[in-house]
Amino acid sequence: VEVVEEEGGLVDAVFSQICAMDRTDEADLATVLVVDPSFDDNFDGFIRVCDDVVEAAIQATGATALVGRAWFHPRYATPIDGKDDALRPGHAIPPTWAARYFRQYYPDDVHVDDRAIAQANDRIRHTPHATVNLLRRSQLVAAKQKEDASPLKKPNAIYARNVARDLLLRGGGPAAPREL
């Protein structure tokens, strides 16, 4: 975990950690959280920096081969900008996808509406502070390969299960988020 001490230091901290991941054996450094409390009350500013600067720089430098990334924030809300059915780097899955996966794995819970599912999907990205999670691409690939090789073949079940757990905590979801 790296906590950004200076306002405006998020981009430098992210790239410092990407360089550290590149220099360090995967067994010693698999994932990094870059926490920047200066953005805690500014979700829009945080997302602008993450989408427009961090993500653009990761793409431009080819760092996508090394890291996956996820944005977390105390006020996380899926951006609505006409791309609401497209997966965006760093962001939660689109609300339409979350609803589709939830209904696929919890078909009996018809009382749960799409808005409640979208809100739960956003809450999964809520953290105490604005945070960038950097994950090794090789581990993301290995996890996907493991999922693909599983005899249970439950693709995307984790998204449905996370939404179900959030809804259950709020009294509006499945009776129990059963193992999928």
Side-chain angles (χ1 to χ4, degrees), residues 102 106 109 111-112 160 163-165 167-168 172-178:
F102 181 83
Y106 295 94
D109 291 292
H111 69 282
V112 179
V163 165
R165 286 181 179 144
L167 292 171
L168 179 64
R178 64 189 174 277

Side-chain angles (χ1 to χ4, degrees), residues 68-173:
R69 53 259 170 237
W71 322 143
F72 294 88
H73 193 275
R75 297 179 183 163
Y76 187 89
T78 302
I80 304 298
D81 60 3
K83 301 177 189 174
D84 57 342
D85 200 38
L87 185 59
R88 297 169 54 173
H91 287 279
I93 62 170
T96 53
W97 295 17
R100 182 171 62 239
Y101 300 148
F102 181 83
R103 297 201 188 298
Q104 175 183 353
Y105 291 107
Y106 295 94
D108 298 333
D109 291 292
V110 294
H111 69 282
V112 179
D113 66 20
D114 287 356
R115 180 181 162 103
I117 293 170
Q119 290 170 337
N121 188 50
D122 284 346
R123 282 190 299 267
I124 292 163
R125 291 292 180 109
H126 287 185
T127 51
H129 299 291
T131 302
V132 173
N133 185 5
L134 300 172
L135 308 103
R136 290 233 186 223
R137 173 73 51 207
S138 58
Q139 292 188 351
L140 295 171
V141 169
K144 179 67 174 139
Q145 289 171 340
K146 183 178 178 181
E147 179 184 74
D148 290 347
S150 169
L152 299 177
K153 296 290 185 207
K154 302 281 185 177
N156 304 307
I158 190 170
Y159 302 114
R161 192 170 43 248
N162 287 345
V163 165
R165 286 181 179 144
D166 181 87
L167 292 171
L168 179 64
L169 288 171
R170 284 160 177 70

